[in-house]
Structures are given as structure tokens and as C-alpha cells.
Amino acid sequence: MTATPSSPRRDDLAHFLRTRRARVQPADVGLPPGARRRTPGLRREEVAHLAEVGVSWYTWLEQGRDIQVSEPLLERLARALRLNATERAHLFELAQGRPAARPLCSPAAVSDALQRVLDAHPYPALVSSRRWDILAWNDAATVLYGDLSRAPPAHRNGLWSMFMNPDRRTLLRDWETAARKTVAGFRLDAARAADRTEFDALATDLSRVSPEFARFWGEHEVIEASEGLKELILPGVGLIIFDHLTLAHVDPDGRALRLTFYTPHPGESAARARELFLTTSR
């Protein structure tokens, strides 16, 4: 193999691999300490063995050579070098110039810090997984969507609720338009997932029980729906128009979450929302 001129990114990758290798002790990965070691950490051949790759190939990678690296190999390297979530993402950035696909892994609960952020927001706020399973919320969200803790966990999902919760149909001013956008946004998130098995399982289940969902899903529309307006009609209150914004968040364990915040639109909506959420002792 002929050497090619190096690049800053490949140099960074080579240096990153060498420093991570030096940090891992043989005992950390179930290897015997062996004879005296001239350098700290694992040897190159040990990393190559753990990552199931040839020693020469791994050596070239540490030398900053211009070689192709597949995602499965990077995953094996991340495990062999015991990288945390941030380091794993950095490895993918250096090796492929793009972030690693995040696995679909929903935590059972969110951190106390994240829950405090939700509780500090005076208007509805939710945390959901990449598959739109609702994991946490504030009290204001229950004003719109009821006591979410009473819903079965399998059905505590934004897509499922849109089609299977009758209250959503009366709450939304234009349910069909909102439902179509929801399906299109969910399809886009499913396509971006490292493993879309659970996305497809939810879509299959909904298609069996909701002809409307099956029809919208079959249209194969996609939309980027990270922000927009929600027009809600609340009994005894009237129409409130909310701006909603969904932000990506990665928790300390590297799990991808979605944070959604509602803020009332200026004017009558803001006045009605203040009356509903801020002047009552809920």
C-alpha cells in the first residue's frame, strides 16, 4: 500500500487512537498483563485482536494513512478501547467526517437536572425518545394532555396518542393537518435511526387499529418538524396558539432525547395561557 500525504483529520484520528490505547490496561479488557511493557496501555496487536481486524490495518490507521473505515469496524474499535459516548462520537467524526448514528435506546427516566428544567418552564414541556415515547413532562403538560402517568407505557407515545386518544381530536383545531405532519415527521425520524425496528413495529401496530394512520403512512410524506404552531381549543378557555420547539439532547449515557417546549403566541393566546397556567395554583 502506498503512503499518501496526511491530513489534519487523519493526524487527529491517529493521535486519538494512540492516546485511547495507552489509557486501557490489559486487565480492563480481560487480557493477562504479560511481560514488561515499554509503553503504557494496550499493544497495537491487542487492540487489533479485540476489534477483530488485522494488525497491519490497525497500524496504518494509527499512522494516519488514508484508508477506508466502516461503521461496524468503528463500533468494534470503540468497544475495544472502552470509549464513552462522547469519545465514540468523536471517533466517528474523525474517521468518517460525520456523527455516529445513535442507537435507539430509551432511558426509563430522565435525570433530575432535566426534570428541573421541565418544571421551571411555566408552559407545557415534554421529553421523549427518538421514537417519540414520552418519558417526562411538567405539570403544565398535564393541563393539555391529561395525567400521562395513567397511560400504559406502551401507549405513552406522541404518535400513538395522536390517533388513538379521542381527546386529541377535540383539542386540536385542525386535527387532520396536525396528524399528517406528525406522521411525516415520524417517518423522517425513523429513516434517520440506526435501527428502525421499533419505529416500524409502532407503525405496524397503528396501521392495524387506525385506517387514517395507515392511509397517511402510505403516502410516504416526510417533513422536518422541529418547530411550528399548535392551535389548541381548551374547554372553558378557548383557542390558544402555541409556538412549539423541539431540541435534541444527549443524556450523560449517550442516549438521544427530544425536548419539546410550548410557548403561547403573543396576543390573546398569551393572555389566555397566563390565565390558565400562571394565575392558578395548579
Side-chain angles (χ1 to χ4, degrees):
M1 176 177 183
T2 58
T4 57
S6 188
S7 70
R9 186 184 296 276
R10 291 199 296 274
D11 288 344
D12 282 349
L13 174 61
H15 184 260
F16 181 65
L17 290 172
R18 291 194 298 270
T19 58
R20 298 310 95 174
R21 175 167 61 86
R23 188 184 62 179
V24 182
Q25 300 305 311
D28 296 336
V29 291
L31 295 175
R36 287 188 305 167
R37 292 173 179 263
R38 291 176 294 178
T39 56
L42 298 177
R43 299 186 177 101
R44 282 175 174 170
E45 57 266 27
E46 291 170 332
V47 174
H49 171 73
L50 292 168
E52 302 174 22
V53 68
V55 177
S56 295
W57 189 95
Y58 179 73
T59 300
W60 292 335
L61 196 62
E62 271 203 13
Q63 290 174 343
R65 298 207 193 184
D66 186 13
I67 56 179
Q68 297 299 312
V69 190
S70 68
E71 288 190 12
L73 174 57
L74 290 176
E75 293 289 6
R76 297 199 302 272
L77 274 178
R79 289 193 294 269
L81 295 171
R82 300 172 65 84
L83 302 185
N84 62 31
T86 302
E87 291 168 331
R88 171 182 172 270
H90 187 59
L91 174 66
F92 272 75
E93 289 277 10
L94 293 176
Q96 295 190 330
R98 59 186 175 83
R102 296 193 180 277
L104 179 67
C105 181
S106 300
V110 302
S111 68
D112 292 341
L114 183 50
Q115 184 64 57
R116 285 193 292 270
V117 169
L118 297 184
D119 293 338
H121 188 64
Y123 301 110
L126 303 162
V127 176
S128 55
S129 70
R130 291 190 64 190
R131 200 191 74 142
W132 299 20
D133 297 310
I134 299 171
L135 308 173
W137 53 90
N138 62 5
D139 287 343
T142 67
V143 176
L144 297 184
Y145 300 121
D147 186 357
L148 293 165
S149 65
R150 300 183 64 180
H155 295 165
R156 199 180 299 154
N157 175 279
L159 184 69
W160 182 273
S161 178
M162 175 63 76
F163 288 88
M164 303 308 297
N165 184 346
D167 293 338
R168 292 295 294 274
R169 293 178 182 264
T170 58
L171 182 65
L172 288 159
R173 187 181 193 183
D174 183 350
W175 177 85
E176 181 170 337
T177 297
R180 286 181 179 276
K181 288 181 178 179
T182 297
V183 173
F186 183 83
R187 181 179 279 284
L188 188 62
D189 283 347
R192 290 170 170 169
D195 179 359
R196 58 177 292 160
T197 304
E198 293 187 40
F199 287 85
D200 290 337
L202 177 58
T204 298
D205 289 344
L206 260 176
S207 295
R208 292 193 187 104
V209 296
S210 172
E212 288 164 311
F213 172 80
R215 177 160 53 90
F216 298 162
W217 186 251
E219 293 170 358
H220 209 114
E221 296 292 335
V222 292
I223 190 173
E224 190 76 68
S226 58
E227 62 179 82
L229 296 179
K230 283 194 182 293
E231 300 184 6
L232 307 179
I233 301 175
L234 284 82
V237 177
L239 174 67
I240 299 182
I241 302 174
F242 286 97
D243 293 295
H244 71 87
L245 180 67
T246 298
L247 305 173
H249 172 71
V250 180
D251 75 0
D253 293 321
R255 294 171 294 197
L257 303 177
R258 297 157 40 94
L259 279 56
T260 302
F261 295 95
Y262 289 68
T263 303
H265 214 52
E268 290 186 11
S269 289
R272 289 171 178 167
R274 284 195 296 270
E275 180 70 21
L276 180 61
F277 295 104
L278 305 184
T279 64
T280 59
S281 55
R282 292 189 175 276

